[in-house]
Amino acid sequence: RLIADEFFRGSYTTGAWLKGELENNVKYHVMLANNLSTLGVSAAQLDNQFNTQSYALQWLPTTGEFGLWGTFGDYDYHQKVATRVAGHYTHSVEDKQTQPGTEGIENSQIRLTDGSVIFTPNLFGPGVSVNQVNYRMMSHDAGFKYKGMSVEGEYYRRWLNDYVGMNTEGIPDISDNGYQMQTSAMAVPKVLQLYVSWSQIFGNHGDPSEWRVGQNWYFLKQRGIRVNAEFIHVNKSPVGYTAYPMPVGANGNILHLNLEMNF
């Protein structure tokens, strides 16, 4: 994931969901959940409220699909132009007690654009401690795929307000926005994919950014197993943990090589 996706997103959670089609090529997905991320959070930490809601609406105007799993890139090598336009909205009342550990796998933390976790004591001044925050996030994405080539982009905006905790009255509302873009091409169909991607976040506590160039080598001609190699240039990353290729605050160049398998 690029830093904008990692910064703004929620994560895996539990709840009830509903999905379907409004009409041909227009699909929706709605979920009511416990919080933004339950990985690493015990049942004793969770309250008994479904105060997290997420909504998604996507339009697939040309082919009615966007490749298997709707992932980045055109491994499927579409012979007709596949297109997608989508909008998403998430709202959650997040509590300090229900947060996963900062090094948890696939964890999702509410951070400022300098990487600080919002629930850190004294972050906004001596004696100030946030115990609860109102989180809202919306995003819009669009893209197309054709004969191994793809261009995809997404715009994000997030709002934080209604703080609860000690001396939180003076904390201003926070609004951050950002984007990510990725272009790719199957240089050798079913075998070698090349890509370029970039991302940037704009906020009151910093404007981090990154760009990447990389390749995916499907050496068995199966999309479920690949070798990924990429060069990353990052400017003050606001995200990071042990399963992500950079730590919080990373600033510089990274060479990243990994073997990925999807069963």
Side-chain angles (χ1 to χ4, degrees):
R1 296 188 188 96
L2 298 170
I3 60 170
D5 191 14
E6 188 67 32
F7 179 81
F8 289 103
R9 72 176 178 89
S11 186
Y12 298 97
T13 189
T14 55
W17 52 265
L18 176 69
K19 65 179 181 178
E21 290 191 58
L22 296 177
E23 57 181 66
N24 287 341
N25 301 345
V26 178
K27 302 180 181 181
Y28 68 88
H29 199 152
V30 177
M31 185 172 188
L32 302 179
N34 287 315
N35 66 352
L36 290 177
S37 178
T38 58
L39 293 178
V41 178
S42 70
Q45 292 175 258
L46 296 171
D47 57 32
N48 60 356
Q49 302 179 52
F50 283 115
N51 51 17
T52 299
Q53 309 92 37
S54 189
Y55 310 90
L57 185 67
Q58 65 170 333
W59 179 35
L60 307 167
T62 54
T63 60
E65 49 76 50
F66 204 56
L68 183 63
W69 304 318
T71 54
F72 281 126
D74 188 25
Y75 182 90
D76 304 272
Y77 219 86
H78 284 83
Q79 297 302 305
K80 294 182 179 180
V81 177
T83 52
R84 167 190 160 107
V85 179
H88 315 261
Y89 178 79
T90 299
H91 169 259
S92 184
V93 178
E94 287 291 292
D95 189 275
K96 180 178 181 178
Q97 179 175 305
T98 63
Q99 300 302 299
T102 56
E103 295 301 324
I105 300 298
E106 296 291 338
N107 81 88
S108 178
Q109 292 282 340
I110 299 179
R111 298 181 182 271
L112 306 181
T113 52
D114 64 0
S116 302
V117 176
I118 198 170
F119 297 111
T120 304
N122 304 313
L123 177 63
F124 296 99
V128 180
S129 182
V130 176
N131 293 325
Q132 190 179 89
V133 64
N134 186 55
Y135 163 102
R136 291 177 294 141
M137 191 275 291
M138 71 88 179
S139 68
H140 300 288
D141 68 83
F144 74 87
K145 301 179 179 182
Y146 181 62
K147 291 188 176 180
M149 297 180 292
S150 71
V151 177
E152 297 147 280
E154 188 161 11
Y155 170 78
Y156 306 86
R157 192 168 187 88
R158 185 193 69 176
W159 299 267
L160 303 175
N161 59 10
D162 293 343
Y163 311 99
V164 176
M166 187 178 298
N167 301 319
T168 57
E169 298 83 2
I171 303 176
D173 295 351
I174 296 173
S175 178
D176 304 311
N177 65 93
Y179 71 92
Q180 66 177 16
M181 293 290 298
Q182 178 160 302
T183 62
S184 69
M186 294 300 298
V188 180
K190 308 298 182 184
V191 176
L192 181 64
Q193 180 187 61
L194 306 177
Y195 64 88
V196 177
S197 54
W198 60 98
S199 179
Q200 192 165 8
I201 302 167
F202 306 95
N204 294 333
H205 298 83
D207 300 326
S209 61
E210 72 161 318
W211 57 266
R212 305 184 184 197
V213 294
Q215 66 172 32
N216 290 308
W217 176 33
Y218 303 90
F219 54 93
L220 296 179
K221 294 187 177 182
Q222 298 288 333
R223 75 165 72 225
I225 183 168
R226 67 185 181 183
V227 173
N228 172 255
E230 59 185 0
F231 174 85
I232 306 170
H233 177 77
V234 62
N235 175 38
K236 299 179 181 178
S237 173
V239 291
Y241 51 97
T242 52
Y244 197 66
M246 65 188 75
V248 173
N251 194 45
N253 300 320
I254 301 168
L255 291 173
H256 185 222
L257 177 67
N258 62 98
L259 173 64
E260 300 179 6
M261 292 176 285
N262 186 10
F263 298 97

